[in-house]
Amino acid sequence: MRSHDPEKMSVTPLESFPPIDQWDDWMEYDAGAWPKKVERRSMLVPTTCFNCEAACGLMAYVDRETLTVTRLEGNPHHPGSRGKNCAKGPATINQINDPQRILYPLKRVGPRGSGRFERTTWDEVLDVFATKIRQALNEGRKTEVMYHVGRPGEDGYMLRVLQSWGVDGHNSHTNVCSSAARLGYALWSGSDRPSPDHANAKFMLLLSSHLETGHYFIPHAQRIVEGKKKGAKLCVIDVRLSNTASRADYWLAPWPGTEALLLLAMARVILVEDLYDAAFLEQWVNWRQFLAAKCPDAEPTFDRFIVELKKHYAFATPEAAAKECGVEAETIVEIAREIGRAGSAFASHVWRNAAAGNLGGWQVARCLQFVAVLVGAVGVRGGTNLHSVNKFVPAPFSIPPPPEVWNDLLYPPEYPLAHHELSFLLPHFLEEGRGKIAAYFTRVYNPVWTNPDGMLWERVLKDEAKIELHAALTPVWSETAQYADYVLPMGNAAERHDLMSQETHAAKWISFRQPVLRVARQRLGHDVDLTYQANPGEVWEENEFWIELSWRIDPDGSLGVRAFYESPYRAGEKITIDEYYRWIFENSVPGLPEEAAQQGLSPLDYMRKYGAFLVEKEVYQGHLTPLGSEQMEKAETQADGTIVKGGQAIGVVAGCVPRVGFETPSRRLEIYSPTMADWGWPEHTLPGYIESHIHRKHLDRDRGEYVLIPTFRLPTLIHTRSANAKWLYELSNTNPIWVHPEDARRLGVETTDLVRITTRIGHFVNKVWVTEGMRPGVLACSHHLGRWRLFDDAGTERWASAKVSCDEIEPGVFRFRRVEGIKPFVSRDPDTRRIWWTDGGVHQNLIFPVQPDPVSGMHCWHQRVTIEPARPDDQYGDVQVDTTQSIEIYREWLDLTRPAPGPEGLRRPRWFDRVVRPVAEAYRMQRT
Ligand code: SF4
């Protein structure tokens, strides 16, 4: 029975949670033994969820007798999630006990893609990759080692590994996810993510569905509810009636791709009705640069700036927006006035949604931030902070130097302003002969399924001349892993170490992911040197894998790699994972050593016990941080208050104090972007509206053309990561096409009827769901479902995937057809015999051509499609794709780019960051 004594509660007042002093030996009665009273005793070990990016706290219950994890709940000590989780958090137990999971390292024994693997040893894996990488480094091929990550789930560890090898080899999934929104935010402030303070807001505007999904789902959802309880109003902009929209005070469903104009119309109302925060704008916006560029003859005063700004946005009337967006003009005005009344207590967010769907989607984020800047809601209580102010990444004991090379496969010259690597174009670049890869690691990354043009991924992954050696680091089978040379089982949330922080609210925190069975054994006094000794089978954790691999790449230290893996406590000896985190917790987390000491614990033991630490609360206004005397040494202050040192602005005087300002070249919020002008996009120097590739004028309604929104998340699944959780698939196992009743009538279809959806490169066949929760003329389909496998014993999990055949029916044209749906099967988990669902959904991404935005590099997900009732030969789940046509479309989009070099012969503006940032000289195209 649980304690309900409030005096013994944990620091977060959950209704009920075991008191801390019983975490090592917590007794409860076995529910399965009822009505007998059978005691079960557990240890409570905290860790961090790994099923989405929010990094919520989890608490594992480890049975003291069997040393198995019996369940996972929320960790009340976690500052972001405060003891709460979504369905995916507790479902981690399914992932631990998954009878289909890969428990040992596997080596391919047939041709790539044949599905034939055999068990191998970690020793062999490490030697094979160490030899290959050492050879590449010795031969100066430092762009041929690539680590391609889907969900990082950690901060900084892997960047350090790649830097220690001296390679420019970090690739990510960000350009199929968030790089458009990131660019929009970064152009304003240099910080690429919003950190809204929902709990203290008076008005919240979301282009997202944070009450059910999104960055950062559970931490945000609870604070949105908190804000609403305190009287804040919520507006949701989404073509789909999401759960979040259903709880909003205002739900706007504009025509997809017009969101930027809708936001500009709100901005215009705020300007015209003088609802803006003049003092904030005058101090912090680069209005002088705006005037100098746009009206060089104008008197350089703030009043004149406002006049000119009103003139510039005169086109964005509510009436014009109403016509373009399909939203009532009065509603736009009403919402703008609400925002004006909320003033700086205006919290807002866009991440994927419209930013990820449209050509020019980065302007959606930029226009949203424009509204926030106008009302002074930047970095203040109740407003929208910069992520860089709230996210806290502590430094490790040593940092390797930046790489000296530039990898054009990651940042090609056509996309100098791309916010992240052009990851989804990698196969196209390899096909064009732009390079090859000697050693390729995919990690929690499934591009064959997740990315557009998946058949091109399949082609290059099978080509041993283009990718010589490929290891899939994954806790679960995937459509991509089946093409790898080695499939390496890595731990899930309860089986590995990582350190994470997210900008979930106005605070800084860290969360420690840890292998709970290893920690439990150590609490009992067992010796465990490496995590795999406590994990199921031979499941490793990546932290230890990279240490071991790096050590073998450079066994004698001659390459300069090994030094970064030597213990900071035992000179010349290999670092242990305890030592890596011990050093960080002792030296890089302010307040942690003191807090730990108060409890008689070492900092590492504190983190092992509580799993998270609040570094700072009530974090606001990072831009007001004063510059220190050392920073001000040899600095000059210009007439406009800009503080310059060594030819670069380092801050701004505000309130007579020198302050750091924002992370832009001007140290101000840049409404006018000189960077856009300098890099060949003078028409986009200001927040503006770019007509999307799926704009109505591009649609032929007589041909039955519609827009397909293929991006929305379900609350219960996460991309291709959650196929190993049976509970989640029992909850969500189909992804029908959302169709408005008017469109359904026009098409002559009803719910469950089959339709054929056709893009420019292929078609799929899916069911419809007729719903009024959809804007007429627009279709939607969730992107999580539609997993497939070619084999029974390799490929995606059987409770999550249909078995399919894949045939080349014409040269370059492939057809996937279902061989069998999901059905019960025999395993050590009796539940697999009780599987009742058969569907699993339809894979849509295969028929999407690549559509890279020429500025941000973001894949523009929304599709122009035709929809028709299924044809006589069509079968549910059919997918057909023409790879010749997909390459044509790649070239069409490539033609939209305006390639580097930019000023000074650079590949990319120097102030634009990169995940692994090479030396400054590498930014230059023609190097001296
Ligand atoms: S929101 Fe859900 S899936 Fe994401 S970290 Fe939190 S519990 Fe895990």
Side-chain angles (χ1 to χ4, degrees), residues 48-98:
T48 303
C49 185
F50 199 174
N51 276 333
C52 86
E53 60 287 342
C56 295
L58 290 176
M59 188 66 79
Y61 285 65
V62 179
D63 188 292
R64 289 179 66 92
E65 203 175 305
T66 60
L67 280 177
T68 54
V69 182
T70 54
R71 71 173 185 277
L72 291 109
E73 296 182 342
N75 175 6
H77 285 270
H78 192 288
S81 56
R82 300 186 290 193
K84 302 175 177 73
N85 293 125
C86 77
K88 302 186 288 290
T92 301
I93 190 71
N94 294 163
Q95 298 168 325
I96 294 171
N97 295 328
D98 173 12

Side-chain angles (χ1 to χ4, degrees), residues 194-249:
S195 180
D197 186 19
H198 293 305
N200 297 303
K202 291 187 180 149
F203 195 90
M204 295 175 272
L205 176 55
L206 300 179
L207 282 81
S208 64
S209 41
H210 269 108
L211 285 179
E212 69 213 81
T213 62
H215 282 66
Y216 301 101
F217 169 19
I218 284 296
H220 276 192
Q222 58 186 271
R223 292 177 173 88
I224 291 168
V225 171
E226 220 173 295
K228 272 185 74 78
K229 274 181 161 175
K230 288 196 257 176
K233 288 199 172 163
L234 172 64
C235 172
V236 172
I237 298 178
D238 197 332
V239 289
R240 198 177 56 88
L241 181 63
S242 65
N243 295 357
T244 308
S246 74
R247 306 290 300 185
D249 299 283

Side-chain angles (χ1 to χ4, degrees), residues 459 807-815 881-885:
R459 190 191 296 175
D807 298 303
E808 189 165 5
I809 55 175
E810 288 172 37
V813 179
F814 296 86
R815 188 185 69 185
V881 56
D882 181 342
T883 53
T884 311
Q885 181 65 9

Side-chain angles (χ1 to χ4, degrees), residues 499 510 512 581-587 592-593 603-604 607:
L499 194 52
I510 53 170
F512 195 30
Y581 289 107
R582 176 186 155 193
W583 194 94
I584 289 175
F585 297 149
E586 284 176 354
N587 298 284
L592 174 56
L604 178 62
M607 291 302 289

